[in-house]
């Protein structure tokens, strides 16, 4: 089934809204913890300023949405690559809920293993379907790697 | 002169980097004022939480970059529409430097007239060249309108 060009852009918009809303839910659900608890706990000196995270995550959500759309445009729409994408998006939200919502760097540290693995697997699956989609996941995997190390450092210091 | 498809994506990446870096300069140059001075001055009850601005501006910078790229892909690359785009981006940075850098809501309020007008004119010029590019400027104009009203309210309260 061939999709009209107009519908393709609606699908792109849909993926962007999906990812931004997922990130937004994580952000809103945890804003109190970020403004309060998170500012009081011990953190390593190389922790980025709070204001960095919003813009970085917004860019990463847009990039992962574009990547998913590029894969969706190939024939294999609801194949394993897209299921992995949905899984990593779920793990992404869950991490925020555990780290900030439950204020538990320990639970978040266990969860981040699933998040990191699902991002890696999605990236590899996307590389197999559409090169650009794979490359769009490289900064995301790098940032999640950094976030996992930061999570580990914060867990050890508190 | 026809551009290779590969180069077109590099140009898109270039526009995104240009807009994000411009926003980043504004953000970094003013971070101290946002964390300090801005949190202490009187603001209306409908002021959004600080954490909203980073994600919103990041999305708007990506959208304006995509809009500029769509216009760039038409024949008229360095025409008046692109000059207006450059002007509004400059006014956008200048607003941050005046409001936060100089901590002067009054100067920023005068400047925001130029910012708002240049965004409106760019939007109209983009609509004339490429419909999607024009639409991508609508949320930006709406946000700058809101920011201008917030600027006015803060100026009156302090």
């Amino acid at each position: 089934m061939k999709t009209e060009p107009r519908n393709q852009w609606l699908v792109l918009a849909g993926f962007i809204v999906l990812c931004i809303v997922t990130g937004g839910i994580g952000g809103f659900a945890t804003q109190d913890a970020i403004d309060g608890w998170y500012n009081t706990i011990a953190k390593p000196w190389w922790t980025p300023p709070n204001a960095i995270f919003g813009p970085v995550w917004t860019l990463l959500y847009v990039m992962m949405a574009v990547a998913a759309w590029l894969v969706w445009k190939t024939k294999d729409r609801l194949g394993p690559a897209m299921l992995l994408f949905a899984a990593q998006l779920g793990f992404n939200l869950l991490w925020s809920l555990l780290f900030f919502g439950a204020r538990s760097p320990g639970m978040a540290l266990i969860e981040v293993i699933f998040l990191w693995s699902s991002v890696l697997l999605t990236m590899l699956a996307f590389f197999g379907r559409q090169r650009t989609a794979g490359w769009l996941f490289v900064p995301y995997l790098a940032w999640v790697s950094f976030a996992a190390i930061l999570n580990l450092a914060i867990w050890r210091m508190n």
Side-chain angles (χ1 to χ4, degrees), chain A:
Chain A
M1 189 179 79
K2 196 84 174 69
T3 313
E4 296 293 319
R6 194 186 176 83
N7 287 347
Q8 289 200 352
W9 296 112
L10 284 178
V11 172
L12 173 60
F15 272 119
I16 292 174
V17 167
L18 171 72
C19 294
I20 294 288
V21 165
T22 302
I25 291 169
F28 276 104
T30 60
Q31 199 55 53
D32 281 350
I34 292 171
D35 287 341
W37 167 79
Y38 177 74
N39 278 340
T40 64
I41 59 172
K43 288 184 288 296
W45 61 267
W46 42 269
T47 303
N50 289 354
I52 287 291
F53 290 98
V56 167
W57 275 115
T58 306
L59 278 178
L60 293 175
Y61 286 123
V62 171
M63 289 168 80
M64 76 174 78
V66 172
W69 175 67
L70 290 172
V71 168
W72 179 89
K73 286 209 299 175
T74 67
K75 50 204 165 229
D76 188 29
R77 282 194 190 163
L78 287 174
M82 211 52 90
L83 290 179
L84 282 168
F85 178 83
Q88 68 78 23
L89 193 60
F91 284 131
N92 185 305
L93 174 58
L94 186 58
W95 185 88
S96 290
L97 298 179
L98 291 176
F99 191 96
F100 291 109
R103 302 179 189 201
S104 172
M107 286 207 290
L109 189 60
I110 295 167
E111 202 273 346
V112 87
I113 298 166
F114 293 88
L115 172 58
W116 190 88
S117 306
S118 64
V119 172
L120 176 69
L121 290 173
T122 308
M123 184 187 79
L124 294 175
F126 278 19
F127 266 119
R129 297 287 185 296
Q130 216 276 0
R131 266 178 75 86
T132 308
W135 281 109
L136 283 167
F137 255 64
V138 171
Y140 180 26
L141 184 65
W143 185 257
V144 169
S145 304
F146 173 73
I149 294 165
L150 181 59
N151 187 338
L152 174 65
I154 290 174
W155 174 71
R156 289 188 59 181
M157 290 170 83
N158 290 279

